[in-house]
Amino acid sequence: MCGISALLLADSSQVAVGELLESLGLLQHRGQDAAGIVTCGHKGRLFQCKGNGMVRDVFTPPRLRALSGNMGVAHVRYPTAGTPADSEAQPFYVNSPYGIAMAHNGNLTNDSELRHFLDYEAHRHINTDSDSELLLNIFANNLQKTGKFRINEQDIFSAVEGLYSECRGAYAVTAMLAGFGLIGFRDPHGIRPLVFGRRKSLSGKGFDYMFASESVVLDALDFTDIEDVQPGEVIIVSKSAVTRRRLVVEETIAPCIFEYVYFARPDSTIDGIPVYNARLDMGVKLARKVKQELGDSMDIDVVIPVPDTSRAAALQLSHELGLPYREGFNKNRYVGRTFIMPGQEMRRKSVRRKLNAMPTEFKDRNVLLVDDSIVRGTTSQEIIQMARDVGAKKVYFASAAPAIRYPNVYGIDMPSRTELVAAGNSDEDVSAAIGADRVFFQDLDDLVASCRLFNPKITTFDTSVFDGKYVTGDVTPEYLEKLEERRADCSKLKADSADNEVIGLHNYK
């Protein structure tokens, strides 16, 4: 899962890097592995800074001062394809044709086929294992076919239309053509999010335009007229005009439902659905499930959320059950999100560094812990044990999402079924595995209903991690097996070693 943004300022004397940096700070929750910014300055010259680490670590003041120009693209990364190598930090860049920088959120499902085509037919060199570099080179190859000295919007539409026919999977993309402008587009199913907005320029002449993964970025930077880029739509922002066209209209539009469960910030709105409100309704429906299953044996004393994502659902659940809501865990905000940390052992150790249980809220009580989901079970097991260590009598555990039993192939790193605690197991098995007295999972129909409540026009979501149904229709058991091998935790940790590092052409050190 990644976060992307792009900005074009109407006043060519202004510098875009400051607000691009702010955008990455607002999207840091979407990726903590690497960050990068590429800007375009005078005469189309590109400037870049990217590398592994948090936003605050990658962009030092001297590096920021070197990023001149009134437009740029930016990216925060958590690796789901390729490796965490420094060379795979985005945005990626190709000099031919025209000078293109691209940032990508998602995952391609036909990357092997594309890699073969680019090598044997297009004769374009691919320097990393990242599918984002493949996407960039497919786009570049399609633009190359025009053979023009200068291109126009129609040439770009044609290039992206070709990309739509060649690339399968999930992708939200922001790109920049040197000296020309910005491009934003989403995959035909709309699996990954992308929003677009504008604001009046500070100079009073014209408008500034911005793309971002989440609406919170545009809200914070005072953009207005914020809207979702439609699935299969391409928006081109040049120095003189905004041109848009929906090139592909799929029968099945399926935004990733895990955005609403976990990834997106609660103050974002994605595809017309306010994330916070959707999470509140998840709490309403989860309360009904707990009531139904416990019945007359309801003995819960207090509801406690696992911070931060589950707070909205836990708050509404406690209200529905008529039980007190308490903050039982104190969070160290300087530790990253455990879900997106590589390695089971690293995730396990990080939990206790990140959370501290407050004995006064647990001692001699039957507690219901509420979390957004249960993925590997590592975090849940540690948290339940922490509750018992400070005196909880019983520990129930409720998940705002259904049981995750299948790999994700569209940009979320939960590829291996062997890593998923619920895969092939009953709810009772999961309870035993994580040490809970009982586990409650949200029903899938209720989760979908919680999201559709705010935008009934969306009839389908990507729920593949819960039901194993992949909307792109090209995911085979053989593909899943290869994906598991490629993304195994052991290979990620191995890739972290210096001996395996690919020296990136972008290095700023």
Side-chain angles (χ1 to χ4, degrees):
M1 183 62 64
C2 302
I4 61 176
S5 64
L7 173 65
L8 189 151
L9 301 176
D11 186 348
S12 60
S13 68
Q14 297 298 307
V15 178
V17 65
E19 290 182 305
L20 287 170
L21 179 68
E22 284 190 66
S23 75
L24 294 187
L26 291 162
L27 295 172
Q28 185 76 87
H29 60 286
R30 300 185 67 88
Q32 300 169 7
D33 179 77
I37 295 174
V38 177
T39 60
C40 183
H42 184 57
K43 294 185 178 180
R45 185 174 179 184
L46 300 182
F47 304 87
Q48 61 181 349
C49 173
K50 57 182 183 175
N52 279 358
M54 303 281 278
V55 171
R56 64 174 181 265
D57 300 320
V58 173
F59 301 105
T60 61
R63 292 170 185 163
L64 289 171
R65 285 193 292 271
L67 298 175
S68 63
N70 68 317
M71 69 174 174
V73 292
H75 188 274
V76 286
R77 178 178 189 256
Y78 173 67
T80 54
T83 72
D86 192 77
S87 59
E88 295 191 9
Q90 295 186 45
F92 280 113
Y93 161 73
V94 289
N95 69 335
S96 178
Y98 315 116
I100 309 167
M102 179 179 284
H104 162 227
N105 173 30
N107 191 66
L108 301 181
T109 54
N110 65 331
D111 55 319
S112 297
E113 174 188 318
L114 295 174
R115 193 174 296 275
H116 184 275
F117 165 76
L118 288 167
D119 188 7
Y120 287 87
E121 296 185 43
H123 309 303
R124 299 188 70 91
H125 174 68
I126 304 301
N127 197 54
T128 71
D129 294 325
S130 172
D131 61 343
S132 303
E133 191 182 7
L134 299 177
L135 195 70
L136 169 59
N137 276 273
I138 290 292
F139 177 63
N141 185 61
N142 291 344
L143 272 184
Q144 189 87 55
K145 294 174 185 176
T146 66
K148 290 183 177 180
F149 178 66
R150 290 285 184 265
I151 57 170
N152 57 34
E153 282 84 354
Q154 181 54 51
D155 297 322
I156 296 171
F157 284 130
S158 297
V160 179
E161 189 169 26
L163 181 149
Y164 279 145
S165 67
E166 295 168 289
C167 299
R168 298 192 298 272
Y171 45 93
V173 173
T174 55
M176 177 174 63
L177 269 65
F180 184 91
L182 304 177
I183 308 163
F185 59 91
R186 288 173 80 185
D187 67 81
H189 296 285
I191 299 172
R192 299 267 72 89
L194 187 65
V195 296
F196 176 66
R198 70 175 188 172
R199 70 181 178 199
K200 285 189 177 181
S201 171
L202 293 176
S203 67
K205 297 180 180 179
F207 289 90
D208 303 330
Y209 294 94
M210 191 168 201
F211 295 97
S213 292
E214 295 186 31
S215 64
V216 64
V217 174
L218 278 66
D219 286 332
L221 296 177
D222 297 322
F223 280 79
T224 58
D225 303 320
I226 301 170
E227 57 183 314
D228 296 285
V229 178
Q230 294 302 303
E233 183 182 27
V234 183
I235 300 178
I236 303 169
V237 184
S238 69
K239 296 175 181 178
S240 57
V242 175
T243 315
R244 57 196 306 168
R245 191 177 299 172
R246 195 167 182 186
L247 300 177
V248 181
V249 180
E250 284 282 355
E251 290 184 9
T252 305
I253 305 300
C256 175
I257 206 163
F258 218 69
E259 291 280 354
Y260 306 98
V261 171
Y262 174 79
F263 275 110
R265 279 179 48 146
D267 45 349
S268 285
T269 298
I270 296 175
D271 287 311
I273 301 170
V275 175
Y276 181 75
N277 296 78
R279 290 177 183 169
L280 285 176
D281 198 67
M282 291 175 202
V284 172
K285 292 177 170 56
L286 187 57
R288 295 174 190 166
K289 181 73 176 287
V290 173
K291 252 186 214 178
Q292 177 187 339
E293 294 202 3
L294 285 182
D296 295 336
S297 61
M298 173 79 72
D299 60 352
I300 299 168
D301 297 314
V302 64
V303 175
I304 295 176
V306 177
D308 284 316
T309 322
S310 64
R311 281 196 169 110
L315 182 64
Q316 198 64 24
L317 179 147
S318 69
H319 176 76
E320 294 291 317
L321 293 180
L323 294 171
Y325 169 94
R326 293 289 184 271
E327 292 285 348
F329 294 101
N330 188 54
K331 182 179 179 181
N332 177 358
R333 300 190 179 280
Y334 300 99
V335 177
R337 299 181 91 172
T338 53
F339 173 81
I340 61 175
M341 286 185 173
Q344 287 275 39
E345 184 62 19
M346 190 180 298
R347 281 186 289 269
R348 188 190 67 77
K349 288 181 179 179
S350 177
V351 174
R352 287 184 179 260
R353 294 171 185 163
K354 181 180 180 180
L355 297 176
N356 186 49
M358 294 182 276
T360 55
E361 301 302 331
F362 290 93
K363 188 172 177 57
D364 298 326
R365 291 180 175 179
N366 297 333
V367 300
L368 174 60
L369 302 182
V370 181
D371 206 351
D372 50 76
S373 58
I374 303 174
V375 185
R376 298 169 176 90
T378 311
T379 301
S380 305
Q381 184 180 28
E382 287 294 324
I383 287 171
I384 289 167
Q385 187 57 51
M386 288 168 64
R388 295 195 189 280
D389 289 346
V390 292
K393 289 194 298 183
K394 286 186 179 180
V395 182
Y396 298 108
F397 204 95
S399 166
I404 297 172
R405 306 187 191 277
Y406 300 92
N408 181 277
V409 302
Y410 299 131
I412 301 175
D413 185 49
M414 49 175 79
S416 174
R417 289 197 70 185
T418 60
E419 290 183 297
L420 304 176
V421 68
N425 292 322
S426 66
D427 291 359
E428 291 74 19
D429 293 332
V430 175
S431 296
I434 65 176
D437 289 280
R438 189 163 183 169
V439 166
F440 308 96
F441 284 108
Q442 184 87 269
D443 290 331
L444 181 55
D445 288 345
D446 285 341
L447 177 60
V448 171
S450 291
C451 296
R452 287 200 66 219
L453 178 65
F454 303 97
N455 187 357
K457 292 180 181 177
I458 299 178
T459 58
T460 309
F461 291 86
D462 168 48
T463 57
S464 54
V465 296
F466 309 122
D467 59 15
K469 298 175 182 177
Y470 299 96
V471 66
T472 53
D474 61 340
V475 178
T476 64
E478 293 76 20
Y479 173 83
L480 292 175
E481 185 177 347
K482 288 180 181 178
L483 190 67
E484 288 183 6
E485 292 173 1
R486 193 189 321 168
R487 295 187 187 171
D489 270 338
C490 59
S491 66
K492 277 189 179 178
L493 294 174
K494 182 180 178 181
D496 278 340
S497 70
D499 291 341
N500 293 305
E501 180 64 77
V502 176
I503 301 301
L505 300 180
H506 62 270
N507 285 354
Y508 50 72
K509 296 179 182 177

